[in-house]
Amino acid sequence: MLYSAPLPYLSDPSPYFAVLRGAPWAAWLDSARLGRYDIIVADPVATLVTQGAQTEVRSGTEFQVSVGEPFGLVRDMLGERIRGPSAEPFAGGALGYWGYDLARRYLDLPECARDREHLPQMAVGIYDWAVVIDHRECEARLVSHLRHPGTEAALAEVRRRLEAAPSHVPVIGDFRVKSSAVSNLDPVAYAQAFDRVQSYLHEGDCYQVNLARRYEAAASGDAWAAYLELRRRSPAPYAAFLDWPDMQVLCASPERFLEVRQGRVETRPIKGTRARASDAGADAQLAAELCRNPKDRAENLMIVDLLRNDLGKSCLPGSVRTPHLFELESYANVHHLVSTVEGWLRPGCDALDVLRDCFPGGSVTGAPKKRAMEIIEQLEPDRRGIYCGSIGYLGFDGQMDSNIAIRTMVHAQGSIRCWAGGGLVADSRCEAEFQETLDKASAMLAVLERFRVEAT
């Protein structure tokens, strides 16, 4: 049975999240009205947190440590799947993040880069209710499959708080950035890493390597105001704000990783980028040049081929196809080339199989995936943590949607970090690729500067 209670529709759902974010493990999957739905959750009935080979599973007062396979543990906690199509994209289930370095559980990778993130490789809550805002129908609802005892009673209080939410909440916070953002690859170090990638490419080790730069600044306080500033500067259809114990994750991702809906699987890799121009004519010229540039199209096609192979592990033979190649998508700061790859789940496979088989997304590794990741580990000074992993949900009904966690900031342990990278191929130019990292990081760096205060 689906519990569904109507709520006043808010085109900007931030007031709904503001009144719920005091509860544990609050999260907002934010479409910025560039997608159809926003999803808000809080107060999970269970949590799964993976560090290295162990996963801590908490459910009520029960606590256990497991060495089981992380995606399998999520499947176990979800329990028996609800049958039949759901009227809502998500009415309860697993929601959280799977960090890039979770891949170490499935791939034998070298250990060269420093781990300065010190955060879980997976952090997922099991939620029994959600607020769903439908921007196409201009509706909002509080929904639940009522899977757990006590949920029905809790919903009355949740609904009361949501119905009392003001249409606008003034942003009050103490977030402070206390130093300049410093990158782990300055121009000289980036050029050295770029040259080494070129050597690997010309030697035939790989076809493409995604090389990223990490920025870090000292910071303190509550990053809620910083997230609102990020979404204002860089609205994105697969954005998210995770307000969780010991961390806040601010994500403005434009990229879908994997969607599973009624057995159909879709991934939409981004490869190919140009900065936006303030002049309309120059901006249109940049977009047109991107669309016809053979290097960018080849770079995109390499990742499409990789993802076709990844989807083939859990999709029906012959069902994987590419209905759209090299489509232009434009965002506040950049133009992108986006392709669509789809397939149909084979019998006996589910969304978690697809997530495991495709993880991490090929658009943020390179090709072949394992060799590209080995090179990334050698050349990037620091591990990526949450960056280039995935944020998303998997419902009790088996439906899933997830992003690639790019354009992402992590506030934890007295600092805030963000990253930007790009795919390098044999005919890449160092100066242009370095500039692309600056273009992609521009909105996040502007947020850091907006909250910068002089140290005292």
Side-chain angles (χ1 to χ4, degrees):
M1 181 183 77
L2 179 68
Y3 170 95
S4 180
L7 297 167
Y9 170 73
L10 299 179
S11 60
D12 174 7
S14 56
Y16 280 156
F17 187 73
V19 301
L20 294 176
R21 63 186 291 259
W25 286 66
W28 176 14
L29 303 187
D30 175 13
S31 72
R33 297 197 71 187
L34 298 174
R36 179 174 175 180
Y37 296 107
D38 283 24
I39 296 170
I40 297 172
V41 295
D43 199 14
V45 296
T47 58
L48 300 95
V49 176
T50 298
Q51 288 271 25
Q54 296 186 330
T55 300
E56 296 182 354
V57 182
R58 297 179 182 271
S59 180
T61 58
E62 298 181 6
F63 169 77
Q64 62 175 335
V65 176
S66 173
V67 294
E69 187 267 317
F71 292 115
L73 293 174
V74 173
R75 182 183 288 109
D76 292 343
M77 291 301 294
L78 287 171
E80 184 178 357
R81 185 187 304 178
I82 291 172
R83 300 298 175 183
S86 176
E88 302 291 347
F90 181 80
L95 188 151
Y97 77 75
W98 295 268
Y100 175 89
D101 291 298
L102 185 64
R104 297 176 185 279
R105 292 291 296 266
Y106 308 96
L107 297 172
D108 183 18
L109 297 173
E111 297 190 4
C112 309
R114 302 168 297 196
D115 181 8
R116 293 202 292 159
E117 291 302 296
H118 303 298
L119 292 174
Q121 288 83 55
M122 179 181 82
V124 171
I126 306 296
Y127 298 87
D128 202 25
W129 57 263
V131 180
V132 176
I133 297 94
D134 184 340
H135 294 296
R136 190 180 75 184
E137 301 298 329
C138 296
E139 294 178 348
R141 307 191 76 84
L142 175 62
V143 294
S144 173
H145 287 296
L146 302 175
R147 296 273 294 225
H148 293 267
T151 297
E152 192 166 8
L155 286 172
E157 173 60 17
V158 172
R159 186 176 179 184
R160 184 195 66 78
R161 294 175 63 190
L162 291 168
E163 289 176 337
S167 59
H168 174 75
V169 177
V171 178
I172 301 171
D174 59 349
F175 184 66
R176 300 289 185 272
V177 176
K178 303 188 223 179
S179 70
S180 298
V182 177
S183 173
N184 64 353
L185 287 174
D186 63 18
V188 172
Y190 182 88
Q192 292 171 344
F194 178 93
D195 289 342
R196 290 188 63 187
V197 170
Q198 289 300 309
S199 296
Y200 285 121
L201 293 168
H202 289 288
E203 289 166 6
D205 266 38
C206 49
Y207 310 111
Q208 182 179 156
V209 175
N210 185 284
L211 183 66
R213 304 172 64 222
R214 178 184 189 269
Y215 296 87
E216 182 173 14
S220 65
D222 176 8
W224 167 238
Y227 177 68
L228 295 179
E229 180 69 10
L230 177 64
R231 78 188 294 264
R232 184 186 71 81
R233 290 177 177 270
S234 185
Y238 303 104
F241 182 59
L242 309 182
D243 198 0
W244 286 1
D246 304 318
M247 75 179 92
Q248 293 176 303
V249 181
L250 302 69
C251 179
S253 175
E255 184 170 355
R256 167 174 280 159
F257 181 24
L258 291 162
E259 181 189 44
V260 177
R261 194 75 56 194
Q262 303 303 317
R264 178 182 175 272
V265 183
E266 180 186 272
T267 182
R268 302 188 72 245
I270 288 175
K271 268 287 165 263
T273 301
R274 290 291 184 280
R276 300 292 304 266
S278 56
D279 176 76
D283 191 58
Q285 186 175 357
L286 286 167
E289 195 276 331
L290 172 63
C291 289
R292 63 176 177 260
N293 185 275
K295 169 196 171 287
D296 291 291
R297 291 166 72 93
E299 187 180 324
N300 189 290
L301 189 59
M302 290 178 193
I303 302 307
V304 166
D305 287 342
L306 185 157
L307 282 163
R308 285 173 58 90
N309 181 67
D310 282 351
L311 287 188
K313 299 172 187 176
S314 46
C315 287
L316 286 167
S319 73
V320 178
R321 65 188 194 97
T322 308
H324 305 290
L325 274 174
F326 317 138
E327 292 188 314
L328 179 71
E329 290 189 0
S330 300
Y331 295 93
N333 303 293
V334 291
H335 299 291
H336 283 310
L337 286 185
V338 184
S339 293
T340 302
V341 185
E342 65 180 18
W344 289 90
L345 280 178
R346 69 172 76 211
C349 290
D350 62 13
L352 283 164
D353 291 315
V354 180
L355 187 58
R356 179 201 62 221
D357 291 343
C358 295
F359 195 86
S363 65
V364 289
T365 61
K369 182 183 288 188
K370 184 174 185 295
R371 184 60 184 134
M373 292 179 72
E374 292 169 349
I375 294 169
I376 289 167
E377 179 71 12
Q378 293 169 11
L379 298 184
E380 292 184 11
D382 302 289
R383 290 191 181 174
R384 292 178 169 186
I386 297 170
Y387 172 66
C388 287
S390 181
I391 300 170
Y393 67 79
L394 174 68
F396 289 128
D397 57 2
Q399 314 308 310
M400 179 176 77
D401 205 356
S402 60
N403 74 7
I404 297 284
I406 54 175
R407 319 293 147 80
T408 294
M409 311 173 78
V410 177
H411 177 224
Q413 303 153 354
S415 75
I416 188 163
R417 290 88 74 182
C418 63
W419 299 256
L424 307 185
V425 293
D427 54 352
S428 293
R429 294 183 300 108
C430 185
E431 296 81 2
E433 298 294 344
F434 186 83
Q435 183 60 46
E436 183 174 313
T437 68
L438 296 175
D439 295 337
K440 290 176 176 176
S442 61
M444 296 181 292
L445 296 178
V447 170
L448 297 185
E449 190 60 29
R450 160 69 178 78
F451 290 92
R452 172 86 186 277
V453 295
E454 295 298 325
T456 56

